[in-house]
Amino acid sequence: MIYKKLAQLYENLSSTTKRLEKIDILSKFLNILSKENKDVMYLLLGDIYPEYDERRIGISNQIAIKAISKSTGTEANEVTKHWKKIGDLGKVAEELTKKKKQSTLHSHIITIEKVLTNLRKLPELEGKGTVAKKLGLITELLTSVSPIEAKYLIRTLIGDLRIGLKEATVRDCLAKTFFKDPKEASSKIQKAIDRSNDLAAVFELAKTGKAKNLEKLHVEIGKPIKAMLAQKAKDIKAGFKALGKPCAIEYKYDGFRLIIHKQYEKIICFTRSLENVTKQFPEVVKYIKKYTKGNSFILDSEAVGFDSKTKEYQPFQNISQRIRRKYNIEDLEKKLPIEINVFDILYYNGESLLSKPFEKRTKIIKKIIKNHPYKIIHAKQIITKNEKRAEEFYKKALKDNQEGIMMKNLKAEYNPGSRVGHMLKVKPTEKDLDLVITGAEYGAGKRSGWMSSFILSCKGKNKGEYLEIGKMGTGINEKEAEGKVTFDQLSKLLTPLITKEKGKRVEIKPKIVISVTYQEIQKSPNYNSGWALRFPRFTALRNDKPLSEIADLEEVKRDFLNQKRNWKYG
Ligand code: AMP
């Protein structure tokens, strides 16, 4: 299939914001897409591999600018100027290619396979001469394509496709295109996506039109699976009301999610963003080998830091640096030890447990894990219908420096990737949010040269929409200190993500997820979310959380209403 066809599809999809129209446009395309070309499904959402695969294109704006410069014969600073004016490198590539095409006539046909082949070579390149090799692969494509193709090629390279297509829309489109009962099919397709994280594999089976075939996609050891997410409950009473009695209540550990796969000697750990972090946590491999039974399993757990001397649990931000650390791993293992708190099991000795009730899964955990405090334990849990007992357990969790409790329905299944109503978190005050940085301002005086104030955004209603909710400058350090993030570090993380500059202000591509606490949420016309955080304070870089998990408007509103309730009732 030629790439022009896909570029035209992108163009048609971005010409409407209406979901149903998008589905109609995509449906025509999926109808003619053959099984052999199924990898196009990845490109539709801007990827080159399935979601579970860690390899990403990872081309910076700077390399993209160089490639546009080379392929269109325009000076790089001209490209940059143009980009700063219109804020979209894809459009810049389109316009400059158009200009060039007027003077030269040749244009070749580029196939989707060729595009994929070149793009897939990019993440493999390492070491000396990498930039030149990357530029070679990109310009080979860019010099041959038409203006529209150039636009989408560049947008794909920098990970900003801007066609407003969500995975959920693709799912509904598959259901409508290939099934008689699209509504029923849609939920089956979603399950298949959640189990496999592989849209091309799902497409291939959906194309058969038989819902039964979708069940062929199973959880597989070694292939990361999305974590099940929790909703919030106001308090224990509300939790019991929503879940029924009795239910399981566990500590809500203040650490980071770790999903651990084991098959005989092979052990792999993934974060909730499906990142493989096995190398960063050698102790997890040791603990699993030593203190668990079973040939193969997938465990869901929270890794929590503790002080090696006092044995007191530590807040997440103290250990967060371990997640991305590539060197001195052993030092860090000693300095910032973690305890693995296992709270779920998804697969055991050749069998998927996703549709088994939680009470059964929890029994299996007890059977296969030998508790070794400060190494690996079954998450502290009670099963009760007694509110008083639940309150006592909650108090104990807080005294142990944990965030609160999780309340879980005993009969519920495990739904990967879903924010479910059968697992509820209860925390004392709802005064923290996970948000993304979408802008910044450079500082003056002592802070000159650094970004020193940051615009925070939450998720809007549409995919890829981020709405501003406040400005933050506290909680970040000027000097380096244990467990603290500095202005310098944050500025370095954000600089490659700048999309527009105006004086001291910059706009930033939403990527860096952080946790903040705040004093209060107010309604506000000053930010386009309609809300403003008073005194937001940085608490941690959430490099373990994907962008899809930051707070949305609903959560902000819920926290606003909860805080009002607390004022009323003390
Ligand atoms: P939040 O990140 O605030 O949405 O809270 C949900 C997170 O709490 C999960 O994604 C886990 O990382 C974490 N967590 C800590 N303890 C537990 C537990 N016992 N059961 C489930 N999740 C837990």
Side-chain angles (χ1 to χ4, degrees):
M1 189 183 249
I2 58 174
Y3 187 62
K4 208 171 204 160
K5 230 179 191 142
L6 182 62
Q8 195 53 53
L9 172 74
Y10 288 143
E11 191 76 349
N12 295 345
L13 286 169
S14 56
S15 70
T16 172
T17 51
K18 296 203 180 85
R19 193 164 183 271
L20 288 179
E21 285 179 15
K22 281 192 197 286
I23 290 183
D24 276 343
I25 294 167
L26 182 59
S27 183
K28 287 192 191 107
F29 181 85
L30 292 185
N31 251 320
I32 54 162
L33 185 67
S34 68
K35 206 167 81 185
E36 289 68 37
N37 282 318
K38 65 178 195 287
D39 286 8
V40 170
M41 297 303 289
Y42 307 137
L43 287 171
L44 272 183
L45 294 179
D47 285 324
I48 46 171
Y49 287 111
E51 203 185 344
Y52 68 79
D53 195 304
E54 275 191 285
R55 286 168 292 178
R56 298 275 174 270
I57 304 175
I59 289 296
S60 66
N61 291 335
Q62 291 318 316
I63 294 192
I65 288 170
K66 277 191 191 143
I68 297 170
S69 157
K70 221 170 145 190
S71 67
T72 62
T74 320
E75 289 288 329
N77 55 5
E78 273 302 304
V79 180
T80 309
K81 241 202 227 153
H82 217 63
W83 170 47
K84 294 222 161 125
K85 211 161 73 197
I86 60 177
D88 174 358
L89 263 181
K91 266 224 163 84
V92 172
E94 181 182 23
E95 283 174 18
L96 293 176
T97 309
K98 215 181 266 168
K99 245 193 206 160
K100 183 192 133 198
K101 289 275 139 106
Q102 283 162 358
S103 50
T104 56
L105 275 173
H106 69 88
S107 151
H108 301 284
I109 288 175
I110 290 275
T111 62
I112 293 180
E113 293 86 77
K114 173 68 185 161
V115 170
L116 263 178
T117 306
N118 279 27
L119 297 190
R120 282 177 171 169
K121 282 183 189 154
L122 295 170
E124 311 297 335
L125 294 171
E126 263 177 38
K128 237 178 149 186
T130 299
V131 171
K133 280 185 206 145
K134 283 187 176 173
L135 272 175
L137 287 164
I138 300 169
T139 43
E140 186 194 357
L141 299 174
L142 271 183
T143 41
S144 308
V145 295
S146 65
I148 290 186
E149 289 168 277
K151 170 161 80 183
Y152 290 105
L153 206 49
I154 286 293
R155 286 189 182 172
T156 304
L157 283 162
I158 60 172
D160 192 12
L161 209 45
R162 301 192 184 194
I163 54 167
L165 188 66
K166 292 193 242 178
E167 187 184 85
T169 312
V170 178
R171 171 200 70 203
D172 289 350
C173 184
L174 286 169
K176 184 176 170 244
T177 313
F178 300 119
F179 292 88
K180 282 202 192 78
D181 181 351
K183 221 171 169 182
E184 193 201 341
S186 180
S187 80
K188 294 203 164 136
I189 293 171
Q190 185 62 52
K191 280 199 165 177
I193 295 175
D194 291 337
R195 281 194 306 262
S196 66
N197 289 310
D198 186 343
L199 213 49
V202 173
F203 163 78
E204 186 176 356
L205 294 173
K207 205 171 161 60
T208 65
K210 291 189 188 117
K212 243 203 135 27
N213 283 343
L214 291 166
E215 290 166 20
K216 286 186 189 157
L217 290 175
H218 288 301
V219 183
E220 273 175 45
I221 301 222
K223 222 169 87 176
I225 183 162
K226 278 195 203 131
M228 178 164 79
L229 305 171
Q231 293 184 14
K232 282 181 184 171
K234 189 169 82 89
D235 51 28
I236 288 179
K237 204 178 178 111
F240 272 125
K241 197 165 164 216
L243 301 172
K245 289 178 180 176
C247 55
I249 304 183
E250 292 170 357
Y251 271 26
K252 182 184 188 309
Y253 294 94
D254 182 14
F256 62 94
R257 195 109 179 219
L258 210 52
I259 300 198
I260 306 164
H261 295 229
K262 169 184 157 128
Q263 187 150 43
Y264 297 100
E265 292 302 297
K266 194 161 176 58
I267 291 153
I268 314 174
C269 318
F270 296 103
T271 64
R272 65 209 280 168
S273 327
L274 315 184
E275 222 176 316
N276 183 338
V277 288
T278 317
K279 279 205 190 95
Q280 287 90 313
F281 297 98
E283 70 264 55
V284 176
V285 174
K286 286 180 241 163
Y287 301 160
I288 294 288
K289 279 191 180 155
K290 242 174 152 170
Y291 306 124
T292 65
K293 282 196 284 202
N295 297 331
S296 64
F297 50 68
I298 301 175
L299 302 176
D300 194 355
S301 74
E302 185 85 351
V304 56
F306 61 92
D307 186 299
S308 51
K309 286 195 197 101
T310 63
K311 296 278 192 279
E312 253 192 40
Y313 285 125
Q314 302 285 304
F316 166 72
Q317 58 262 39
N318 290 17
I319 48 160
S320 63
Q321 52 176 304
R322 286 201 61 183
I323 298 173
R324 289 273 157 82
R325 190 61 89 91
K326 300 256 146 54
Y327 51 93
N328 286 355
I329 305 253
E330 267 138 42
D331 281 354
L332 227 52
E333 180 188 342
K334 278 192 208 112
K335 226 163 81 192
L336 303 170
I338 52 164
E339 176 184 68
I340 309 297
N341 298 276
V342 180
F343 54 76
D344 219 322
I345 179 160
L346 284 56
Y347 182 100
Y348 178 57
N349 282 358
E351 192 196 354
S352 163
L353 301 179
L354 295 184
S355 50
K356 298 277 186 276
F358 180 63
E359 59 190 347
K360 174 145 196 213
R361 302 200 302 274
T362 215
K363 273 186 193 145
I364 298 178
I365 298 176
K366 284 193 181 128
K367 203 169 84 182
I368 67 171
I369 291 181
K370 237 169 127 197
N371 271 351
H372 276 78
Y374 305 107
K375 290 190 168 108
I376 182 168
I377 62 168
H378 180 194
K380 287 203 178 90
Q381 184 198 65
I382 56 169
I383 292 174
T384 185
K385 43 185 165 185
N386 184 325
E387 276 178 35
K388 244 186 161 166
R389 210 173 147 223
E391 290 288 352
E392 275 158 26
F393 188 74
Y394 182 22
K395 273 192 204 134
K396 208 165 145 254
L398 296 177
K399 223 175 115 208
D400 261 350
N401 284 344
Q402 299 309 327
E403 279 189 298
I405 48 169
M406 302 294 287
M407 300 181 71
K408 301 181 179 180
N409 182 318
L410 289 166
K411 305 282 177 223
E413 38 178 63
Y414 191 101
N415 307 112
S418 305
R419 198 167 280 289
V420 296
H422 54 72
M423 172 164 96
L424 302 173
K425 49 188 173 190
V426 183
K427 298 199 257 182
T429 45
E430 298 301 348
K431 293 204 164 178
D432 57 332
L433 287 171
D434 293 332
L435 299 166
V436 67
I437 297 177
T438 52
E441 217 174 290
Y442 285 99
K446 264 203 302 190
R447 294 183 184 172
S448 70
W450 295 328
M451 295 176 193
S452 68
S453 140
F454 305 88
I455 301 284
L456 307 175
S457 293
C458 63
K459 259 196 302 191
K461 285 209 172 79
N462 304 314
K463 179 160 181 175
E465 182 187 31
Y466 298 95
L467 301 174
E468 295 178 359
I469 188 173
K471 217 180 200 181
M472 173 202 72
T474 48
I476 305 153
N477 267 30
E478 281 173 6
K479 291 198 191 110
E480 274 191 43
E482 188 75 50
K484 293 281 178 194
V485 170
T486 61
F487 286 109
D488 187 44
Q489 283 166 336
L490 207 50
S491 303
K492 281 196 178 121
L493 278 177
L494 294 169
T495 302
L497 304 171
I498 294 176
T499 53
K500 239 187 200 171
E501 251 182 278
K502 206 173 168 198
K504 286 196 149 199
R505 293 188 180 188
V506 288
E507 283 177 25
I508 287 172
K509 186 170 154 186
K511 184 151 187 213
I512 303 298
V513 176
I514 61 168
S515 290
V516 300
T517 58
Y518 58 87
Q519 224 166 59
E520 198 187 306
I521 297 180
Q522 297 174 323
K523 284 192 176 159
S524 164
N526 296 338
Y527 295 108
N528 59 0
S529 65
W531 304 101
L533 297 183
R534 262 168 65 84
F535 306 121
R537 184 184 179 80
F538 175 90
T539 55
L541 269 178
R542 292 306 314 216
N543 43 16
D544 59 320
K545 273 202 180 181
L547 202 47
S548 57
E549 286 183 30
I550 65 167
D552 56 11
L553 286 172
E554 287 288 303
E555 187 175 344
V556 173
K557 187 170 167 197
R558 229 174 312 145
D559 285 4
F560 171 75
L561 293 174
N562 266 339
Q563 107 195 335
K564 284 195 108 165
R565 233 172 259 130
N566 290 342
W567 290 337
K568 253 194 209 153
Y569 303 111

